[in-house]
Amino acid sequence: MDRIAELTHHFSQIKSAIQHAESAANRERGSVHLLAVSKTKPASDIEALFRLGQRQFGENYVQEAVNKIDSLSDLDIEWHYIGHIQSNKTKIIATAFDWVHTIDREKIASRLNEARVGKPLNILIQVNVDLAETKSGVAPGDLKRLAETIWALPNLRLRGLMSIPDPVSEEDLKRSHQTLRSLFEELKQAHPAPEIFDTLSMGMTNDLALAVTEGSTMVRIGTALFGARPPKDSL
Ligand SMILES: *Cc1c(COP(=O)(O)O)cnc(C)c1O
């Protein structure tokens, strides 16, 4: 199979897996967005999926992403930054992307706010639901405070929450998803504009259906769409 045929096949498989999970969970068709995670993959793959109707793409590495964003600038793509954020990269992230999923501290939020020009940047707070020591994300107990800081920043628009659960048992995953969901509902109650707080970014290739069952509105899919990545990029 050539690459285009392969991507076409994967894309339709994922679309139907999402639809299947939506109906199994009694959720409205189209309530779960697909974020195509294209890190390490060439711009030609992104363009091929775009031609099939995919609009939202996620990237993890700033320089690699910026090269692709530049080369695909004539396509109407919504770019999501889902990688770790170094503070010396905030300016370029605030300029090149439409969404950032990985905010976990005030300093980064205020730097993005200062650098953003034009339409507000859509923001998700990354929560360290499992309180894993090695992982980024705000602790659940500090979430409200960080949210309040972001609400006050005019160039950021807080849209929801995100998590990267540890690869664990299905039962633990389910518990993580449920925790994130309830933090989301709780914060929505407090949000000054709850109608824009509409995004729960959870679920990857291995837990797509489970995440949709537990209320995800955006699944971030890399491997199942594009195939395996080089070993170093296991995330
Ligand atoms: C790489 C990555 C994904 C995609 O993971 P797959 O298992 O390949 O679907 C999703 N979210 C984040 C934050 C990632 O870094």
Side-chain angles (χ1 to χ4, degrees), residues 40-234:
T40 79
K41 303 297 173 181
S44 54
D45 278 7
I46 297 174
E47 181 164 3
L49 278 187
F50 179 86
R51 303 281 171 222
L52 297 170
Q54 178 63 23
R55 290 288 175 279
Q56 300 174 301
F57 290 86
E59 289 281 341
N60 293 57
Y61 308 112
V62 177
Q63 196 50 55
E64 178 200 328
V66 167
N67 292 342
K68 292 186 229 174
I69 292 171
D70 283 347
S71 76
L72 297 169
S73 62
D74 56 330
L75 306 184
D76 185 22
I77 290 177
E78 188 179 89
W79 293 101
H80 293 237
Y81 187 73
I82 61 173
H84 179 70
I85 307 176
Q86 291 170 304
S87 52
N88 64 350
K89 296 283 168 56
T90 45
K91 183 148 192 224
I92 186 160
I93 291 171
T95 310
F97 287 86
D98 305 294
W99 287 68
V100 177
H101 289 221
T102 43
I103 301 295
D104 62 1
R105 46 194 188 200
E106 293 179 12
K107 180 178 149 203
I108 296 292
S110 64
R111 288 179 71 110
L112 289 172
N113 179 64
E114 277 161 30
R116 181 68 174 185
V117 179
K119 271 203 303 190
L121 185 59
N122 295 293
I123 297 292
L124 302 177
I125 296 177
Q126 182 178 353
V127 185
N128 188 347
V129 185
D130 310 309
L131 284 175
E133 280 183 27
T134 51
K135 225 171 343 142
S136 352
V138 67
D142 300 329
L143 174 59
K144 178 97 186 292
R145 223 184 94 131
L146 180 56
E148 285 167 349
T149 302
I150 297 172
W151 288 333
L153 298 173
N155 300 320
L156 303 186
R157 175 170 291 171
L158 185 61
R159 299 294 299 271
L161 304 181
M162 170 281 198
S163 71
I164 310 174
D166 277 334
V168 283
S169 71
E170 190 153 318
E171 206 171 303
D172 290 342
L173 262 176
K174 187 170 168 183
R175 196 170 325 111
S176 296
H177 291 152
Q178 288 172 342
T179 304
L180 191 69
R181 167 81 182 271
S182 64
L183 291 168
F184 176 78
E185 300 296 344
E186 219 173 281
L187 206 52
K188 195 176 172 77
Q189 303 286 319
H191 198 296
E195 68 283 357
I196 66 159
F197 194 71
D198 57 4
T199 303
L200 195 50
S201 165
M202 64 182 194
M204 313 191 342
T205 291
N206 287 329
D207 62 336
L208 185 161
L210 196 60
V212 170
T213 305
E214 300 304 334
S216 169
T217 70
M218 187 177 286
V219 289
R220 309 181 306 264
I221 307 297
T223 307
L225 270 178
F226 296 103
R229 291 179 296 272
K232 226 175 64 188
D233 291 294
S234 59

